[in-house]
Amino acid sequence: MSPTAVLVEVLDRHGHVRLQQRLSLDEGRPTFSIGRSLEADIVLDDEHVAPLHAVVELTNDGRLLAGDLGTVNGIVVGTVRHKEKGGLLVTGAPVRIGRTDLRLRTSAEPLAPEKPDRHEHRLHIQSPATLAGLAILLFAAQEIYASWLGAPRDLTTALATSLSLKATVVAGWVAGWALLSRILVGEWRWLRHIAIALGVTVAITCLDAITTIATFAWALPAWRNASIWSSVVALTVVLYMHLRTAAPLSHRRAIVLAAIAPLLAGLGATWFYERIARDDLWRVNSQSRIYPPWLRLTRAVPAEAYFKAAAGLRAEADQRRRALAVEDEDGTASD
Amino acid sequence: MSRYLTMRAALATFLLAPVLWTGGPTAIAPARAQSPGALNSPVPAATSENARDVLARVRPSIVQIKGFFGSNTAHEFHGTGFAVAAGGVFMTNYHVVARKVQHPTRYRLEFRTTDDRTGPLEVLAVDVRHDLALVKAVGHAPPPLAFVTSEPERGTRAYAVGFPLDVGLTITEGVSNGMVEESFEPRIHYSGAINGGMSGGPAFDQGGKVIGVNVSHYRFQQLVSFLVPAKHVRALAEHIPAKAPTAEALNADIAAQARAHARHLLGSLAGPLATQTAAGYALPGKLAPFMQCSGSGNPDPLQPVQSVRINCQSKAGLFLRSGLQSGDLHFSHAVLSTEKLDAWRFTHRLSANAAGFGAAGLRREVGPYACRNRTVALKGFDAAVSVCTRGYRKLADLYDFFLVVRSLNGTQRGFTSRLTMTGMEFEPAMTFIERFVAAMEWKP
């Protein structure tokens, strides 16, 4: 049996379906018309559409062929404007008539198999609302901990100040991304952006705390540019997730876009700090954090052994001094 | 805060001058006034006649010393010099001619007599320890001035002569207050005006004999000035080289003098190090009479963390080259304790406690740091110890040292100590650092 049903979908400018209409065509004469007048089968309220604009024929093998009815604007498929009287293939692809975007589907279109739903529970852990709520809770918990750790004289005031300040910053950041989402994909997506911004912040803070504690516990050498590169990674992740949420970007393009700015900033900061590090003792010799003694897992070396080894500093300092570029030798610099 | 007097920023110094000149006499005069006529002078009229005599006598032997960059005809810096030997040998401050020594091809020195004759000068010898330089004038050989042979007495009249602020030969009257007590560097405390440009000029007793060389004054303080005692001037003037040394030889000599100075400084800190106790930690304190120490704390009992801070400095620093302070030693301790905080929050506070010294040093003068950080077992406690050092690029065998010690044992007590030593030889300095660290002890 040849197909007779056609689904006409009106799309918004982001490609989302705004209206749907199902047509059952007469098997003997499987055509329908599109236009502004009520005589058309599909009526479009669009001043750029002719009263009778196009006629669409459903072939036996399920293809839809459109023909223009002598209009000013014709039929736009992709980026090409057509004024043929018939034979224009319009199945599945978005078609523009006047200023209205349409998608025409038939029952001949292959269907994907049914997706299994494994979420038996009531709580959807992956729903934006749950994620955002969780992120807000964890972020607030971290803020409370940070305020408590600083041991201010008035914890409530300190906490209120810090929370309101951070909330303002986060609100501004999220609002920017939400606005971009609204423009590019037609939805605000507040919850998703909140979940991304706070979730990544919480994760990177935890990671930072773990590395700091490990550095202390095992007396690991501190990597002086660690903070720069952890910021680069955090920023890349957060930008990638925001971009994927706010814009119809491919995976690869989003990664590239998200990584460019943090990478450049990271390289710039590293270059700058490496350059000034030679003159800035507290950067050269970054001091790790101190934790209570019971967290320390390594043994201390005897003072004699330390100073015996420290005698080697002379050779090291001499070698670094000699390795300096000649460019800043005497004569080039003035006072 | 003593400041060298070379005219580097003539305008700034000039703005400062009225404070120094008018503030003193008007403030002091009413208490000492003998007659209405003396209201504007703290000094009785009879002594001023003496000043006139002294000035008339020494005038021919004094020159202004000017330094010019390249072929400029306007000077960049200036000071004063005076004849100390026959044949045109003059004494001035090292810091007056330091730029010439540092950049021999870029600067030239000139003398200018009080009757406006000029001619070239060359540097014969320097004594960086006492900030003195011996220079030779070509074509000008006035009679040398005589020195006193005894130590200056406290409370005697004295005169300083020079060219302050480039306004012409000037004599100021003041009082010699004898040797500065508890100072590593021998200096005479002169209570009289010394201003920029008088550097290197002589100071006289009432008999017109040289008691010292004008060297520095406290900026923003009134009439607290310093002289290099005559015996060091005499010592340098006794060994006059036949001809001017090469720039390399002079530089090597400066490095040797800096090393000798550092050895002397560390030698005077030999023996067991004096400690003082704070919150259970015995830490190095006033190590020698010349060390200047200050201590402070926060008196607010409501603060969750109580702190005590101790700062000590040797004030032995030398001016070797511009952009390089050397031969100095200073340290500080910040000791924290708490009754209110748990170990977790207390150690967080302790980590954030970053009171320290800056580590100045121009890139063209000092090399990069080499550091060693370890957890070290000290007397009764473990500490994070970090020593950094860097070598001097233009002066052989001199290094800067930076030590940081942070206690790791305390849950409610802790300290951070920093020690900075500039312009030292490696071995003696490391030995001192080891002694400094070994003096620390946890005595709960």
Side-chain angles (χ1 to χ4, degrees), chain A residues 200-234:
Chain A
V200 175
T201 309
V202 166
I204 211 78
T205 313
C206 286
L207 211 63
D208 190 50
I210 290 167
T211 43
T212 319
I213 291 178
T215 304
F216 176 79
W218 286 285
L220 304 174
W223 178 31
R224 65 168 176 266
N225 291 324
S227 59
I228 295 176
W229 289 101
S230 70
S231 307
V232 167
V233 171

Side-chain angles (χ1 to χ4, degrees), chain B residues 33-46:
Chain B
Q34 303 288 313
S35 65
L39 258 179
N40 285 322
S41 166
V43 181

Side-chain angles (χ1 to χ4, degrees), chain B residues 40-293:
Chain B
N40 285 322
S41 166
V43 181
T47 330
S48 290
E49 280 170 23
N50 198 329
R52 201 153 41 222
D53 294 345
V54 168
L55 188 59
R57 202 157 358 130
V58 303
R59 187 185 190 95
S61 302
I62 295 181
V63 290
Q64 188 178 24
I65 294 174
K66 289 185 169 185
F68 301 84
F69 180 77
S71 58
N72 285 354
T73 52
H75 66 265
E76 183 175 316
F77 52 88
H78 70 88
T80 306
F82 61 99
V84 289
V89 179
F90 291 80
M91 186 67 70
T92 185
N93 283 142
Y94 167 66
H95 76 258
V96 170
V97 299
R99 286 187 182 210
K100 169 70 178 171
V101 173
Q102 194 172 340
H103 307 284
T105 56
R106 300 197 158 214
Y107 288 93
R108 63 192 161 83
L109 294 175
E110 258 184 25
F111 69 85
R112 185 166 151 251
T113 65
T114 48
D115 52 2
D116 263 350
R117 283 180 298 128
T118 62
L121 276 177
E122 56 183 6
V123 179
L124 289 180
V126 299
D127 175 359
V128 293
R129 170 81 199 275
H130 301 107
D131 195 1
L132 295 172
L134 211 52
V135 293
K136 188 176 166 64
V138 179
H140 181 56
L145 297 176
F147 294 98
V148 293
T149 46
S150 54
E151 287 275 308
E153 242 179 282
R154 196 167 286 244
T156 52
R157 178 71 53 198
Y159 307 93
V161 174
F163 296 84
L165 315 173
D166 208 12
V167 296
L169 186 66
T170 302
I171 184 163
T172 70
E173 295 187 72
V175 174
S176 159
N177 271 297
M179 298 300 288
V180 179
E181 286 171 11
E182 300 195 340
S183 163
F184 185 71
E185 293 305 332
R187 292 282 187 268
I188 296 170
H189 176 188
Y190 170 67
S191 301
I194 292 184
N195 280 295
M198 288 174 78
S199 273
F204 301 97
D205 64 3
Q206 294 200 77
K209 287 193 168 166
V210 176
I211 59 168
V213 174
N214 309 333
V215 68
S216 58
H217 69 114
Y218 275 95
R219 209 174 198 167
F220 310 124
Q221 302 296 333
Q222 288 176 10
L223 305 180
V224 180
S225 310
F226 299 98
L227 312 172
V228 178
K231 68 172 178 184
H232 305 293
V233 184
R234 249 189 356 251
L236 184 61
E238 272 165 13
H239 302 283
I240 300 167
K243 62 183 181 72
T246 63
E248 291 73 28
L250 204 52
N251 206 44
D253 190 29
I254 288 171
Q257 289 181 23
R259 290 194 298 269
H261 166 79
R263 271 198 300 276
H264 181 206
L265 176 64
L266 292 182
S268 54
L269 297 174
L273 298 181
T275 58
Q276 85 158 67
T277 304
Y281 294 98
L283 299 170
K286 192 171 164 76
L287 303 179
F290 62 81
M291 293 292 292
Q292 293 197 358
C293 292

Side-chain angles (χ1 to χ4, degrees), chain B residues 155-415:
Chain B
T156 52
R157 178 71 53 198
Y159 307 93
V161 174
F163 296 84
L165 315 173
D166 208 12
V167 296
L169 186 66
T170 302
I171 184 163
T172 70
E173 295 187 72
V175 174
S176 159
N177 271 297
M179 298 300 288
V180 179
E181 286 171 11
E182 300 195 340
S183 163
F184 185 71
E185 293 305 332
R187 292 282 187 268
I188 296 170
H189 176 188
Y190 170 67
S191 301
I194 292 184
N195 280 295
M198 288 174 78
S199 273
F204 301 97
D205 64 3
Q206 294 200 77
K209 287 193 168 166
V210 176
I211 59 168
V213 174
N214 309 333
V215 68
S216 58
H217 69 114
Y218 275 95
R219 209 174 198 167
F220 310 124
Q221 302 296 333
Q222 288 176 10
L223 305 180
V224 180
S225 310
F226 299 98
L227 312 172
V228 178
K231 68 172 178 184
H232 305 293
V233 184
R234 249 189 356 251
L236 184 61
E238 272 165 13
H239 302 283
I240 300 167
K243 62 183 181 72
T246 63
E248 291 73 28
L250 204 52
N251 206 44
D253 190 29
I254 288 171
Q257 289 181 23
R259 290 194 298 269
H261 166 79
R263 271 198 300 276
H264 181 206
L265 176 64
L266 292 182
S268 54
L269 297 174
L273 298 181
T275 58
Q276 85 158 67
T277 304
Y281 294 98
L283 299 170
K286 192 171 164 76
L287 303 179
F290 62 81
M291 293 292 292
Q292 293 197 358
C293 292
S294 64
S296 63
N298 64 342
D300 181 356
L302 292 177
Q303 286 289 343
V305 172
Q306 301 294 309
S307 68
V308 171
R309 283 168 203 279
I310 297 154
N311 256 294
C312 289
Q313 44 190 324
S314 69
K315 289 207 167 177
L318 299 181
F319 172 82
L320 294 184
R321 304 165 65 87
S322 64
L324 195 66
Q325 281 289 334
S326 164
D328 212 350
L329 179 153
H330 52 179
F331 59 87
S332 72
H333 311 296
V335 187
L336 303 189
S337 59
T338 186
E339 302 299 331
K340 296 181 177 167
L341 295 187
D342 49 280
W344 194 262
R345 284 189 288 173
F346 176 71
T347 49
H348 177 257
R349 274 290 185 95
L350 192 60
S351 313
N353 182 47
F357 311 117
L362 287 186
R363 182 171 287 210
R364 67 185 148 82
E365 298 293 344
V366 286
Y369 299 101
C371 299
R372 189 168 180 85
N373 303 340
R374 286 290 182 282
T375 306
V376 180
L378 302 180
K379 277 185 203 146
F381 70 108
D382 287 354
V385 177
S386 156
V387 173
C388 290
T389 186
R390 60 181 180 187
Y392 283 22
R393 300 182 67 187
K394 316 256 168 69
L395 299 168
D397 291 327
L398 286 169
Y399 298 83
D400 286 343
F401 294 86
F402 305 93
L403 163 77
V404 182
V405 179
R406 305 192 302 159
S407 68
L408 296 177
N409 65 321
T411 51
Q412 291 187 308
R413 303 276 182 274
F415 74 89

Side-chain angles (χ1 to χ4, degrees), chain A residues 145 148-153 213 216 219 275-282 284-296 298-304 306-307 309-314 316-318 320-321 324-325 328-335, chain B residues 99 102-103 106-107 300 302-304 322 341-345 347-349 351 357 359 363-364 367-377 382 385-389 391-394 397 399 402 404 406-411 418 426-427 430 433-434 437:
Chain A
Y145 169 72
W148 171 82
L149 194 62
R153 285 178 75 163
I213 291 178
F216 176 79
R275 211 179 140 67
I276 65 162
R278 218 169 62 181
D279 308 323
D280 182 356
L281 184 64
W282 310 121
V284 175
N285 192 29
S286 57
Q287 305 283 323
S288 54
R289 254 215 54 192
I290 296 176
Y291 287 95
W294 47 264
L295 252 173
R296 201 151 55 81
T298 47
R299 293 263 292 279
V301 298
E304 301 76 47
Y306 173 82
F307 281 101
L313 282 175
R314 179 183 197 156
E316 206 179 312
D318 284 346
R320 290 189 185 182
R321 175 171 53 88
L324 284 183
D328 49 16
E329 275 292 331
D330 198 11
T332 54
S334 71
D335 306 318
Chain B
R99 286 187 182 210
Q102 194 172 340
H103 307 284
R106 300 197 158 214
Y107 288 93
D300 181 356
L302 292 177
Q303 286 289 343
S322 64
L341 295 187
D342 49 280
W344 194 262
R345 284 189 288 173
T347 49
H348 177 257
R349 274 290 185 95
S351 313
F357 311 117
R363 182 171 287 210
R364 67 185 148 82
Y369 299 101
C371 299
R372 189 168 180 85
N373 303 340
R374 286 290 182 282
T375 306
V376 180
D382 287 354
V385 177
S386 156
V387 173
C388 290
T389 186
Y392 283 22
R393 300 182 67 187
K394 316 256 168 69
D397 291 327
Y399 298 83
F402 305 93
V404 182
R406 305 192 302 159
S407 68
L408 296 177
N409 65 321
T411 51
R418 300 186 194 284
F426 192 88
E427 304 291 340
M430 282 305 269
I433 292 174
E434 191 168 354
V437 171

